[in-house]
Amino acid sequence: MAKLGERAAKRIDAMGKPLPCQNENDTPFFTRPLQDAAERYANAHAEVIERRESNRNRHAQQWAQWRHFND
């Protein structure tokens, strides 16, 4: 029973510790140079465009398959 309590206490203690932060810059965006926010927005928008393009490609491939299904 003591071993079980000891293992549980270690795990509960570990849950109380903060996780290591891996962000390069934790300062709020409104305090950073405008270029940082512009770059982040541009990167996010590029990902949106890539997702939309991949959806269009998958859609077109599926329709092409269905179009020639009964040939």
Side-chain angles (χ1 to χ4, degrees):
M1 220 35 198
K3 288 182 182 180
L4 177 64
E6 184 180 325
R7 289 190 334 204
K10 285 181 183 178
R11 290 191 171 107
I12 291 172
D13 185 46
M15 287 189 323
K17 294 179 182 175
L19 294 175
C21 187
Q22 296 180 355
N23 293 341
E24 21 184 86
N25 194 348
D26 287 339
T27 59
F29 257 86
F30 64 87
T31 62
R32 294 191 206 169
L34 189 57
Q35 186 63 29
D36 289 354
E39 287 175 5
R40 187 171 177 176
Y41 177 81
N43 292 339
H45 192 64
E47 290 176 9
V48 168
I49 291 171
E50 289 172 4
R51 263 196 325 270
R52 287 180 182 167
E53 190 62 30
S54 68
N55 284 342
R56 284 187 190 120
N57 289 339
R58 284 194 311 270
H59 187 92
Q61 289 172 353
Q62 189 63 51
W63 273 100
Q65 181 181 0
W66 289 342
R67 190 176 305 124
H68 300 292
F69 182 73
N70 290 326
D71 291 345

